Amino acid sequence: MPSVLTWATVLLASAGASGTLAVVGAYVLAGAISVGFSIGANALIGALFGPGRPAPSDGQSISDDPVGSHRRNYGIVHTGGQRTFRESRNGTIGQVITLGLGRENDVIEHRINDKPVTLDAGGFVTEASFHGAVSIHTRSGAADQMAIAELTAFFPEWTAAHRQRGCPHAAIIGRAVEAEQFSEVYNGREPAYTQVRKGVGLYDPRLDDTMVIGTDEAGEPVYGSGSVRLDDPLTWPWNDNWALVTADYFAHPDGFGGGYADVNWANIATEADICDQTVSTASEETIARWRIWASYKLANEKRADILEAMRLAADGFFWQDAEGKFNVMCGRWVEPDLVITDDHILSLTAAQGPEAYQVTRAVKVLYTEAAIGYREQESATFGSLEADDDGEAQAIQAYYAPHHNQAARIGKLALAELNPDRWRFNALLNLLGIDCLGRRFARFESAKLGLSMWVKIGAPKLDLINLRIEIALTQVEPADWSFDAALEEGTPPVADTGTGSTPTISDVEGLTLSTIAVQFGETIGVAIEATWSAVERIGLLYDATYRESGGSTWYPMSIDPDASPPSARTGPVSSGVEYEVRVRARTFTGRSGNWSPVATITPIAGVFLGAPTSLAATGGSGLADISFSMPTSSALDYARLFGSDTSDFGDAVQVGTDITGAPGTQVTRQETGLSAGTRYYWAQAFDSDDNGSGVTGPVAATIT
């Protein structure tokens, strides 16, 4: 339980208590501070115990809202979007998915039904399973882009005026296919399109030879180097640098709206250099220190919440300087030149550790993991759960962090902030406290309390009428910002980064093949079903392909995602021909294991039997005359007639012996010795293996 100095402390002090408690109580009385411990909002703790944030996967769907919200995207994102057009004509379906707002950059991956696909020069999906029926045509959101002519060719209502300038979007066109290919191409639904791409370009003052980004030792201005210009967004390159992203969001009218003229670009250039510094990860990758991958809705998310999410992604610090310009500092330790002493303090409250509801000894960070489709992923757990009452790590929603290493550094800082031995202060300072403005760290020296430590400064609250400043101070250690990836990063639950050391995907075992009858009117086709043992790793998908033995082209099979054990089916195949089948496991991003050993099967199509037809019955005195026609199938061997005094076939018994006859022959039978009443009859055909057809009937006869 944290040690809290409250009003009870003041009473102890007035009763003659001595030492630290008495001094702190005196501070409380001197400043007329009200009862209880109060500290300014703490960013990392707010991320732990505050409201939830939209996750990356929330944006990977297609919205059909009549009035949807635009999205703006930074870094690398995987999103769906707003369906702004859908039409079907002459067997062709067309749709337009508006992906975001602002000119975006390179498309990394096209996905249909969450599976990566490749396109040829004409935009057609090249995978064999699509049979050339589906094409994708994109626009980047340029200010001068033209409408998608390929869509207009099918749907003239999508005119040349439908340019969606400033909005990246994609048109997906699905064409008619042969009946036997339909399930393979469309799988019973229209294509659901998502896209992985680089987001908007960013102004980089370091690449602008007209922008002052610092001064040299002689005090002369230092300019950037390059042709990027603040007033020409067409010159802005893509980047996911945290300082550049945050500055753009603050300034952009579709972001925080602060204005580009109100950004200290020299400060941004300095911090961007630090963000670009490389760090080594536990998997021996080399990545930039602080980055952002972010997607946000303009209409549904508060601007301050988005800015705070960006701050959290790099343990950032924001302030306005004396000219009112926006400044940032990315997460790092800088030894301060400010010392807060007893001479500054008008009153003080203090506590060790966070408040009771915030106590935890372990945290995990939710970040964006490229290896699982740019979705949210839990980091390794930092700290120990052994002493935690609920036995669960607290989660930090740092979705804008794009790598496990970056998430781990955030987790370490959060755990340090929740340290039960760390001091926290809420201080009321005299006007000397103005020196806290624009500073993140200070040295706290109190002879009265006998304390000396480094502290992090919370957002100051100025009361210039009473000439005082209220600030929150949190004890920190410089080592909080040091990080040894090999010792501290840990291993994410899904460590499939695509580079460095990655886990092996196990081979598929237990592949078994069988045949399935496929009925077409009065004929029966045949298909192949494959089953296999599930690979013991959560989150894997499967690929299954087949071909005629010795053939050159493998064709995809339809996977049943809910089957246990896993299974796949072909469409109709040729009867009496040997086929080969193989299966492999793969991740969401398409990284695959080895193909299984090939299994073979020679499927044989059956013959459709069909049921008897034209069943009729006429009653007489103690008898009934029944007639029906044999089915016309060559599979016919015999038929049976059934009768009952109820209309329930379960009560029926066979009338007479088995009936033989040529296919299509009409047969008659008479049943005698019947009591007056209603009698019901059914007929059923059988093949030579005693397999029955469907049952025809009942028909009723009135016996007199």
Side-chain angles (χ1 to χ4, degrees):
M1 184 73 180
S3 173
V4 180
L5 305 178
T6 64
W7 186 251
T9 304
V10 179
L11 296 179
L12 287 172
S14 64
S18 60
T20 300
L21 296 184
V23 175
V24 176
Y27 275 134
V28 174
L29 287 175
I33 299 300
S34 61
V35 178
F37 171 70
S38 173
I39 190 165
N42 185 282
L44 280 172
I45 289 183
L48 275 166
F49 302 99
R53 292 278 306 148
S57 61
D58 293 339
Q60 294 175 11
S61 59
I62 305 300
S63 169
D64 286 308
D65 294 339
V67 181
S69 172
H70 277 304
R71 281 186 173 273
R72 200 155 188 270
N73 304 295
Y74 291 107
I76 297 177
V77 294
H78 175 199
T79 76
Q82 177 77 14
R83 198 187 326 262
T84 47
F85 177 80
R86 178 200 271 148
E87 189 57 77
S88 176
R89 183 173 294 119
N90 299 325
T92 297
I93 185 169
Q95 55 180 320
V96 174
I97 307 301
T98 302
L99 300 163
L101 183 65
R103 181 178 61 87
E104 297 189 340
N105 289 269
D106 305 335
V107 177
I108 297 173
E109 192 173 72
H110 301 277
R111 287 179 171 240
I112 291 180
N113 302 334
D114 205 29
K115 294 182 179 180
V117 296
T118 54
L119 309 182
D120 64 14
F124 284 86
V125 177
T126 61
E127 277 71 13
S129 62
F130 287 90
H131 295 280
V134 177
S135 62
I136 299 169
H137 312 275
T138 62
R139 294 291 184 268
S140 66
D144 59 350
Q145 69 190 10
M146 306 303 291
I148 297 176
E150 293 86 350
L151 188 67
T152 303
F154 285 99
F155 306 101
E157 58 265 55
W158 188 265
T159 70
H162 288 82
R163 297 172 292 201
Q164 291 202 56
R165 291 180 171 179
C167 293
H169 60 282
I172 302 90
I173 302 172
R175 296 158 181 81
V177 295
E178 299 295 335
E180 61 269 20
Q181 297 173 342
F182 187 83
S183 62
E184 185 178 3
V185 175
Y186 295 109
N187 197 26
R189 56 176 174 169
E190 62 190 81
Y193 177 78
T194 58
Q195 188 184 96
V196 180
R197 65 196 179 281
K198 294 180 177 179
V200 297
L202 304 173
Y203 175 67
D204 188 341
R206 301 171 298 175
L207 303 178
D208 184 347
D209 58 16
T210 68
M211 177 63 70
V212 176
I213 60 173
T215 57
D216 60 18
E217 293 181 356
E220 295 297 317
V222 174
Y223 292 86
S225 176
S227 58
V228 171
R229 294 293 182 266
L230 181 59
D231 60 356
D232 186 3
L234 291 178
T235 67
W236 298 0
W238 175 87
N239 208 318
D240 59 359
N241 180 288
W242 176 84
L244 300 180
V245 170
T246 305
D248 183 85
Y249 177 75
F250 169 81
H252 199 279
D254 293 324
F256 197 79
Y260 288 92
D262 289 324
V263 175
N264 182 351
W265 291 110
N267 159 262
I268 299 302
T270 299
E271 294 301 309
D273 282 342
I274 297 170
C275 291
D276 279 344
Q277 293 172 353
T278 58
V279 297
S280 296
T281 72
S283 57
E284 299 182 351
E285 297 172 80
T286 299
I287 62 172
R289 183 177 297 277
W290 295 116
R291 299 179 292 158
I292 278 185
W293 293 354
S295 178
Y296 65 89
K297 286 187 174 183
L298 273 64
N300 299 66
E301 299 181 55
K302 295 180 180 178
R303 292 178 296 172
D305 290 346
I306 297 167
L307 193 62
E308 168 57 19
M310 291 183 173
R311 189 213 60 75
L312 174 64
D315 180 46
F317 176 61
F318 306 146
W319 76 96
Q320 285 182 295
D321 58 26
E323 297 179 355
K325 293 186 180 294
F326 180 71
N327 291 255
V328 306
M329 175 181 172
C330 61
R332 67 187 186 279
W333 169 254
V334 177
E335 188 162 331
D337 57 3
L338 172 66
V339 181
I340 298 173
T341 68
D342 294 329
D343 294 336
H344 297 82
I345 300 171
L346 300 175
S347 65
L348 187 77
T349 56
Q352 271 187 299
E355 296 191 50
Y357 76 92
Q358 299 169 339
V359 173
T360 186
R361 296 182 182 273
V363 299
K364 57 187 176 184
V365 181
L366 307 181
Y367 69 102
T368 296
E369 175 55 71
I372 58 171
Y374 300 85
R375 295 175 173 85
E376 59 274 15
Q377 170 65 50
E378 289 184 1
S379 72
T381 298
F382 304 101
S384 173
L385 293 171
E386 295 178 1
D388 206 18
D389 292 338
D390 59 12
E392 294 185 4
Q394 292 288 348
I396 300 175
Q397 296 179 354
Y399 294 128
Y400 291 174
H403 196 281
H404 187 260
N405 178 276
Q406 187 166 331
R409 285 180 273 132
I410 295 169
K412 178 181 178 179
L413 291 166
L415 195 62
E417 205 152 277
L418 293 167
N419 189 324
D421 297 325
R422 298 280 179 97
W423 282 93
R424 301 164 182 277
F425 307 97
N426 206 40
L428 199 63
L429 308 181
N430 58 27
L431 285 184
L432 291 175
I434 290 177
D435 288 340
C436 293
L437 297 175
R439 285 182 166 88
R440 191 176 193 191
F441 302 110
R443 185 73 184 174
F444 179 78
E445 301 279 0
S446 175
K448 294 180 179 179
L449 296 175
L451 295 175
S452 177
M453 64 189 66
W454 303 109
V455 291
K456 182 167 62 176
I457 302 172
K461 298 178 182 178
L462 277 66
D463 180 358
L464 297 181
I465 295 177
N466 296 302
L467 302 180
R468 59 191 185 184
I469 298 171
E470 183 180 358
I471 59 171
L473 305 173
T474 306
Q475 183 182 0
V476 295
E477 298 292 343
D480 296 344
W481 282 267
S482 64
F483 193 79
D484 186 332
L487 299 178
E488 298 179 278
E489 181 177 338
T491 303
V494 176
D496 180 10
T497 60
T499 59
S501 177
T502 56
T504 300
I505 300 176
S506 300
D507 295 339
V508 169
E509 297 180 348
L511 177 59
T512 303
L513 306 182
S514 59
T515 59
I516 302 171
V518 182
Q519 185 172 326
F520 299 100
E522 294 189 356
T523 62
I524 292 181
V526 66
I528 301 170
E529 180 176 63
T531 60
W532 58 91
S533 300
V535 175
E536 293 184 0
R537 176 178 161 188
I538 296 174
L540 288 180
L541 304 175
Y542 296 97
D543 294 321
T545 61
Y546 73 101
R547 68 180 181 185
E548 290 187 16
S549 291
S552 60
T553 303
W554 290 94
Y555 297 98
M557 301 171 68
S558 297
I559 305 291
D560 184 347
D562 300 319
S564 181
S567 69
R569 292 186 180 185
T570 68
V573 296
S574 299
S575 177
V577 176
E578 184 180 71
Y579 286 87
E580 300 173 335
V581 175
R582 63 182 185 176
V583 181
R584 68 182 178 185
R586 66 173 176 84
T587 66
F588 277 106
T589 54
R591 194 174 66 84
S592 303
N594 298 320
W595 286 108
S596 67
V598 169
T600 61
I601 189 172
T602 303
I604 303 295
V607 179
F608 179 66
L609 177 58
T613 60
S614 304
L615 176 65
T618 303
S621 177
L623 58 81
D625 293 308
I626 309 100
S627 64
F628 62 87
S629 295
M630 291 286 206
T632 58
S633 172
S634 61
L636 173 68
D637 188 45
Y638 63 93
R640 288 174 178 170
L641 180 66
F642 300 89
S644 174
D645 292 333
T646 74
S647 60
D648 184 355
F649 182 67
D651 298 331
V653 296
Q654 185 174 349
V655 176
T657 59
D658 292 347
I659 303 168
T660 58
T665 300
Q666 185 176 27
V667 298
T668 60
R669 288 292 184 271
Q670 186 177 78
E671 185 180 25
T672 60
L674 302 176
S675 301
T678 302
R679 183 75 170 167
Y680 298 89
Y681 293 96
W682 296 262
Q684 185 177 21
F686 293 84
D687 63 18
S688 59
D689 294 323
D690 297 325
N691 297 312
S693 70
V695 176
T696 301
V699 295
T702 301
I703 312 301
T704 59

